[in-house]
Amino acid sequence: MDLKRLSHLLALADERHFGRAAERVHLSQPALSRSIQALESETGQRLFDRDTGDVRPTPAGEFLIERARRLLFDARSLERDMALYSDRQLGSLAFGVGPFPAAMLMHQVVPRLRLDHPAVTLRVEVNNWQILEARLRAEAIEFFVADIRNFTAESDLLIRSLGQVSAGFFVRPEHPLAGRQVSMGELEGYGIATTRLPEVVKLETARTLGISTRQALPIVLECDDVALLKTVAGSTDTILGVIHGAVAEDIRVGRLIELHVVDRPGFHSEIGVVSLQGRSLSPTALCVIEAVVGEMQSVHVEQSPRF
Amino acid sequence: MDLKRLSHLLALADERHFGRAAERVHLSQPALSRSIQALESETGQRLFDRDTGDVRPTPAGEFLIERARRLLFDARSLERDMALYSDRQLGSLAFGVGPFPAAMLMHQVVPRLRLDHPAVTLRVEVNNWQILEARLRAEAIEFFVADIRNFTAESDLLIRSLGQVSAGFFVRPEHPLAGRQVSMGELEGYGIATTRLPEVVKLETARTLGISTRQALPIVLECDDVALLKTVAGSTDTILGVIHGAVAEDIRVGRLIELHVVDRPGFHSEIGVVSLQGRSLSPTALCVIEAVVGEMQSVHVEQSPRF
DNA sequence: CGTTATTACGTAGATCGTAAGAATA
DNA sequence: TATTCTTACGATCTACGTAATAACG
């Protein structure tokens, strides 16, 4: 059953005339005649009654024509859908985001995606990097955006760095430490709320501070939900330790202010895109990654610490 | 979009191995490789990631594979349906039957059709020959079985005679005329009930009787519903004038008996199959016509007048 | 080095267009 | 005789298999 043949069938069914039907399918008239004959031979049924100057479908012809019309419609839909898919206007995309990138980038990127690609089904998994890595290997997500400092030596993962983003300590405006220079030691009395940090980051930070014990950072609340962390910092004197991008809006409206820590360590995060080595990404995934890159760049500009 | 190509796609998607997939679609491995490449070129998307010894669909591949699977299923269904249609196991059939053939043949033929071809949708139009001819020309029915004496000269109709069937006069057992020889003249007092007869038949019958006026046959009830005619003859002294085949069962069970008319004219009907000249019939239609022919023959045997 | 996918190349089959033929009005 | 479908024939294009090549473990 060849689709081209079936399209010849439909042309003849519509035109009821070999000459015109042949023209319609860009074929010579004898070629169309042969094509129809081949179909009749294939089905073992006469499909058209030809009385000179009068071509009409037989009952068997009507039967086949009706079904062929549906099949060809479906075939054309498939081609159209594939074109739309290539144009990122159809399909589905699942990707992951770490807590910080989610708070910093996704509030811009996801609404934009919904506007630009309304027919693409999205699944955005916000989770910590361990879960995201497992999800990626299980191919439940195509890629994820997260802190990439855990994935240095992994050769089966393709890691694209989007650069470092600085972090800081943030408190509510009425906080006792607000508005003046503070030392790291002073933070201990209030405790720090932050996301679940990779071990490497904790150790590195401690080392930067010149402290050998893990207790160097007085973390009193570990939670991957940045919105929840903000609520805690906004309603208590707990100190929020996150990247600047995650609280840009809160600082703008005055809900939070940054502490001016004089001996502040090189507290930062390195954001990157992680995908499986050697696996192609969908057009939409590539598009989202570009959007994330672009968003990172634009955030970077306005992301310098403000006191 | 070629269906063969898509079947190659599915084979590779299932086997995840060019060699095995090629074997499955009866192709050499390089040929399959080219076929997939052609599809990738056509869609503009890489469809499989090939790492030596590991072939896996890309997201674009998954997208296409899923849809291709549905399309190929539909294509195979079409082929299967067409085969079933040719084998008279699928489709629909509309045909017409005159009142007499309906009463004589269809009670055998239609149940048999339902048993042998359960998946074929039937429409049986029982009507008089004028309506049936119009329905045939409108192509609302493929053919009809009726008295063909009206269709002698029609060249655009294809008429297949099934032979003559004799008619007679029938009454209820308690009828005053029952059980003895009667003359045509005696019928007049009770009146005859019959179907709407063609003018030619009326005239011919009158001529056979040697009477010149149309009033020769004292028809008091004209109706195309044979069952209704029978009810009238069974509950009144009205005389039923129909073909023998239409009342075979009623005579067998003693509901009606035939009048022994001594000067009975050559009262008969000529049954035939009428279809459009030069128009092919569906396989099922041909099958039904054969069944009607066979039924006519078997009825003919037991159809000799009994007194 | 063995396995597996791709590229090269010559061939067989399908399909095409032009031209000639047959049928019908 | 004009129109329309079919058959004949030569050309072209596609898809195939075999063989050689390349990539990877």
Side-chain angles (χ1 to χ4, degrees):
Chain A
M1 242 345 127
D2 183 19
L3 290 182
K4 211 192 306 183
R5 286 263 178 74
L6 292 182
S7 79
H8 299 167
L9 176 85
L10 294 188
L12 186 56
D14 290 345
E15 298 290 345
R16 284 161 134 61
H17 185 283
F18 277 80
R20 288 193 297 273
E23 195 174 355
R24 193 165 115 173
V25 295
H26 312 294
L27 222 60
S28 72
Q29 186 268 329
L32 178 70
S33 187
R34 278 193 304 265
S35 185
I36 298 295
Q37 283 171 30
L39 208 50
E40 288 180 327
S41 158
E42 196 177 330
T43 59
Q45 296 287 323
R46 190 162 186 79
L47 299 174
F48 292 92
D49 283 322
R50 293 88 142 166
D51 298 334
T52 306
D54 184 37
V55 178
R56 316 193 64 179
T58 62
E62 295 280 13
F63 182 88
L64 184 60
I65 288 160
E66 189 187 342
R67 277 141 217 270
R69 218 178 279 280
R70 281 203 291 273
L71 187 69
L72 250 86
F73 179 83
D74 289 345
R76 273 191 288 270
S77 293
L78 187 149
E79 282 187 61
R80 196 178 52 89
D81 284 0
M82 197 63 205
L84 287 172
Y85 179 88
S86 300
D87 197 30
R88 290 155 275 132
Q89 289 303 106
L90 191 63
S92 59
L93 172 65
F95 64 97
V97 201
F100 281 166
M104 180 174 68
L105 304 168
M106 290 303 132
H107 291 262
Q108 315 298 325
V109 169
V110 175
R112 165 56 55 92
L113 272 176
R114 290 295 310 138
L115 290 173
D116 292 348
H117 312 286
V120 174
T121 302
L122 287 177
R123 191 177 67 238
V124 183
E125 302 194 1
V126 179
N127 223 316
N128 63 59
W129 66 268
Q130 287 106 326
I131 300 285
L132 291 178
E133 185 187 351
R135 296 289 287 166
L136 181 67
R137 291 189 191 279
E139 301 189 42
I141 54 179
E142 279 194 53
F143 66 91
F144 64 83
V145 184
D147 192 304
I148 56 173
R149 283 171 292 179
N150 309 284
F151 305 109
T152 44
E154 310 271 2
S155 66
D156 59 341
L157 295 182
L158 180 64
I159 294 154
R160 172 176 179 178
S161 175
L162 301 182
Q164 293 191 348
V165 289
S166 64
F169 297 105
F170 306 88
V171 295
R172 53 178 173 178
E174 59 270 32
H175 195 281
L177 299 180
R180 63 177 177 86
Q181 295 194 346
V182 299
S183 68
M184 281 298 289
E186 288 181 273
L187 303 185
E188 207 157 17
Y190 302 95
I192 295 172
T194 188
T195 60
R196 271 210 291 159
L197 297 176
E199 284 304 310
V200 277
V201 177
K202 287 185 187 172
L203 292 172
E204 187 188 338
T205 308
R207 186 170 45 75
T208 312
L209 287 169
I211 308 168
S212 58
T213 68
R214 302 181 46 190
Q215 293 304 97
L217 279 176
I219 294 171
V220 295
L221 171 59
E222 273 193 338
C223 174
D224 288 334
D225 186 332
V226 174
L228 180 54
L229 295 178
K230 288 185 192 175
T231 298
V232 170
S235 54
T236 72
D237 284 338
T238 311
I239 296 164
L240 180 62
V242 297
I243 59 177
H244 285 90
V247 290
E249 178 67 10
D250 305 270
I251 285 174
R252 199 180 64 76
V253 303
R255 246 197 316 269
L256 293 173
I257 59 171
E258 181 166 8
L259 286 180
H260 191 180
V261 185
V262 288
D263 52 352
R264 189 169 68 96
F267 194 30
H268 68 275
S269 173
E270 186 170 358
I271 305 289
V273 178
V274 181
S275 57
L276 286 173
Q277 185 76 257
R279 307 300 308 276
S280 299
L281 294 170
S282 68
T284 311
L286 294 171
C287 175
V288 170
I289 290 170
E290 283 318 299
V292 168
V293 170
E295 184 61 25
M296 266 294 281
Q297 286 168 351
S298 71
V299 167
H300 239 269
V301 171
E302 53 179 274
Q303 174 248 326
S304 50
R306 283 167 302 221
F307 299 97
Chain B
M1 246 338 133
D2 183 17
L3 291 181
K4 212 190 309 182
R5 287 264 177 74
L6 292 183
S7 79
H8 299 166
L9 176 84
L10 295 189
L12 186 56
D14 291 344
E15 299 290 345
R16 286 163 133 59
H17 186 282
F18 277 80
R20 288 193 296 275
E23 195 175 356
R24 195 166 115 172
V25 294
H26 311 297
L27 220 62
S28 72
Q29 187 267 333
L32 177 70
S33 187
R34 276 193 305 263
S35 186
I36 298 297
Q37 282 173 31
L39 208 51
E40 288 180 328
S41 159
E42 196 177 330
T43 59
Q45 295 288 323
R46 190 162 187 77
L47 300 173
F48 292 92
D49 283 323
R50 294 89 141 165
D51 298 333
T52 305
D54 184 37
V55 177
R56 315 195 63 180
T58 63
E62 296 278 13
F63 183 87
L64 184 60
I65 288 161
E66 190 187 342
R67 278 140 216 269
R69 219 179 277 281
R70 282 202 291 272
L71 188 70
L72 251 88
F73 180 83
D74 289 345
R76 273 191 289 268
S77 293
L78 187 149
E79 283 188 60
R80 197 177 52 89
D81 285 0
M82 197 63 204
L84 287 174
Y85 179 88
S86 301
D87 197 30
R88 290 155 276 132
Q89 290 302 107
L90 191 64
S92 60
L93 172 66
F95 65 97
V97 202
F100 283 165
M104 181 175 67
L105 305 168
M106 289 302 132
H107 290 262
Q108 314 300 324
V109 170
V110 176
R112 166 56 54 91
L113 272 176
R114 290 295 311 138
L115 290 173
D116 293 349
H117 311 288
V120 174
T121 303
L122 288 177
R123 191 176 67 237
V124 183
E125 302 195 1
V126 179
N127 223 316
N128 64 59
W129 66 268
Q130 288 104 326
I131 301 287
L132 291 179
E133 186 187 350
R135 296 288 287 167
L136 181 67
R137 291 189 191 279
E139 302 189 40
I141 54 180
E142 278 195 54
F143 66 91
F144 63 84
V145 184
D147 192 305
I148 57 174
R149 283 171 294 180
N150 310 282
F151 304 110
T152 46
E154 308 271 4
S155 66
D156 58 340
L157 295 182
L158 180 64
I159 294 155
R160 172 176 179 178
S161 174
L162 301 181
Q164 293 190 349
V165 289
S166 64
F169 296 106
F170 305 89
V171 295
R172 55 177 173 177
E174 58 271 34
H175 195 278
L177 297 182
R180 63 177 176 86
Q181 296 194 345
V182 299
S183 68
M184 281 300 288
E186 286 180 275
L187 303 185
E188 207 158 19
Y190 302 95
I192 295 172
T194 188
T195 59
R196 272 211 291 162
L197 297 176
E199 284 304 311
V200 276
V201 177
K202 288 183 187 173
L203 293 172
E204 187 187 336
T205 309
R207 185 170 46 72
T208 313
L209 287 169
I211 308 166
S212 58
T213 69
R214 300 182 48 190
Q215 293 305 100
L217 279 177
I219 294 172
V220 296
L221 172 58
E222 275 193 337
C223 174
D224 287 333
D225 187 332
V226 175
L228 182 53
L229 294 178
K230 287 184 193 178
T231 298
V232 171
S235 55
T236 74
D237 284 338
T238 311
I239 296 164
L240 181 62
V242 297
I243 60 176
H244 286 89
V247 291
E249 178 68 8
D250 305 271
I251 285 173
R252 200 179 65 73
V253 302
R255 249 198 313 270
L256 294 173
I257 59 169
E258 181 165 10
L259 286 182
H260 191 179
V261 184
V262 288
D263 53 351
R264 190 169 69 95
F267 195 32
H268 68 274
S269 173
E270 187 172 356
I271 305 289
V273 177
V274 182
S275 57
L276 286 174
Q277 184 74 257
R279 308 302 307 279
S280 300
L281 294 169
S282 68
T284 311
L286 294 172
C287 175
V288 171
I289 290 171
E290 283 317 300
V292 169
V293 169
E295 185 60 23
M296 266 293 281
Q297 287 168 351
S298 71
V299 168
H300 239 267
V301 172
E302 52 178 274
Q303 175 246 326
S304 50
R306 282 165 304 215
F307 297 99

